Amino acid sequence: MNKVILILIGFLMSAIDINIKTGYEYPIYQYSEQLGNTFQSYVIQNIVGNNLVIDLLPDIIGFLCIFIGVTGLIEYRKIIVKAYPFLAICLAGSILRPILPLLYDGAALAYGALIITFLSMISEIFMELFIITNIINITDAVQNKRNNIAVKIGWIISISCKVIIYLTGFVGLDYLTVFYGAIYIISTVFYVIKLYSSREYITSFKS
C-alpha cells in the first residue's frame, strides 16, 4: 500500500542524516552576559554549529511524505489525524533550525535553538506514536500479532536512543552520540521493515 510506504520513507529520511557542511558560515556568535558561557558554548558548538549544513536526505521531504501517507490512512482510522499537530511542529523545526542563527543572536539564539530542538524531538516521538499505534490497530490480524510486537519493540528502542542522542549531543559526547546513533538507525530500519510487512493487512481492518 503506497500510503504506508510513503510513511515508512518519511520515517527513514527523518532518522538517517547525511549532513554536508557548506562553505557558508553563520555570523560570529555574540555571547550573552545573561547566560553562562558553558551553556552557550554547548548550544552553539553542538546544536547550532558554525556553518550551514545540508542534509542529503532532507527531513522536510520526509515529513511531507509522512503527511501524505497519514492523509491516505484517515479513511481507515480517523483518529490518526492526531499526528498532524506534532508533524506540523516537526516541519516548522526543520525549517527554523538552519535559519535561526541568521535571525537571532545571544540569549535568543541559545534558548531558541535548544527549545526548537527539544520540541522537535518530543513532537517526532508523539507523531510516530500516533502513527505507529494506529497502523498496528488496523493491522491487528491474528497472523500479524507477532510482527506488530516486533514493531513496538523496535520503536521503543529507537525513541530511547533518540532521547539519549539529544542529551549526549548537547554536551558534546561524540562517541556516545555515534554509538547510540547507530543503534537508533538500526532499530528504526528494523521496525520500518516490520511495518512494511504489515501493510497487506490494512485493507481487511477498515474502521
Side-chain angles (χ1 to χ4, degrees):
M1 179 172 287
N2 292 335
K3 306 175 185 73
V4 174
I5 293 174
L6 279 174
I7 291 173
L8 302 184
I9 290 172
F11 282 166
L12 290 175
M13 291 187 71
S14 64
I16 302 172
D17 293 325
I18 305 176
N19 293 326
I20 303 296
K21 187 180 291 187
T22 69
Y24 181 83
E25 294 186 359
Y26 289 131
I28 297 175
Y29 179 75
Q30 302 298 318
Y31 281 79
S32 171
E33 296 180 357
Q34 303 171 0
L35 302 174
N37 287 345
T38 302
F39 168 76
Q40 294 179 81
S41 295
Y42 280 155
V43 174
I44 300 306
Q45 293 175 15
N46 301 325
I47 294 180
V48 177
N50 298 317
N51 295 73
L52 177 66
V53 173
I54 295 177
D55 187 357
L56 295 183
L57 295 174
D59 290 351
I60 296 174
I61 295 177
F63 293 138
L64 289 175
C65 288
I66 294 172
F67 174 81
I68 296 170
V70 168
T71 302
L73 290 179
I74 291 176
E75 62 177 300
Y76 301 100
R77 189 85 174 175
K78 289 186 172 67
I79 198 172
I80 202 171
V81 298
K82 287 187 175 182
Y84 278 160
F86 300 106
L87 186 54
I89 294 172
C90 292
L91 268 170
S94 62
I95 294 170
L96 286 174
R97 272 195 303 267
I99 66 172
L100 201 64
L102 304 176
L103 304 175
Y104 299 101
D105 199 4
L109 175 55
Y111 278 134
L114 187 65
I115 291 170
I116 288 173
T117 305
F118 177 76
L119 288 178
S120 296
M121 177 194 68
I122 295 299
S123 297
E124 194 167 345
I125 289 172
F126 278 99
M127 177 263 293
E128 292 173 359
L129 173 65
F130 281 114
I131 293 172
I132 291 172
T133 53
N134 278 286
I135 291 177
I136 286 174
N137 285 334
I138 58 179
T139 59
D140 193 30
V142 172
Q143 58 269 41
N144 196 47
K145 285 187 180 296
R146 182 176 296 179
N147 195 66
N148 280 339
I149 291 172
V151 170
K152 292 177 183 178
I153 293 171
W155 180 72
I156 289 171
I157 294 172
S158 76
I159 62 169
S160 299
C161 291
K162 192 195 298 283
V163 174
I164 294 172
I165 291 167
Y166 173 81
L167 297 174
T168 58
F170 173 66
V171 298
L173 297 176
D174 294 338
Y175 62 97
L176 286 178
T177 302
V178 171
F179 175 75
Y180 284 104
I183 298 175
Y184 170 58
I185 291 173
I186 292 170
S187 58
T188 300
V189 171
F190 172 77
Y191 82 70
V192 161
I193 291 172
K194 290 298 182 180
L195 277 174
Y196 180 79
S197 301
S198 297
R199 75 196 187 286
E200 61 187 280
Y201 297 99
I202 287 181
T203 53
S204 301
F205 290 84
K206 186 170 181 177
S207 61

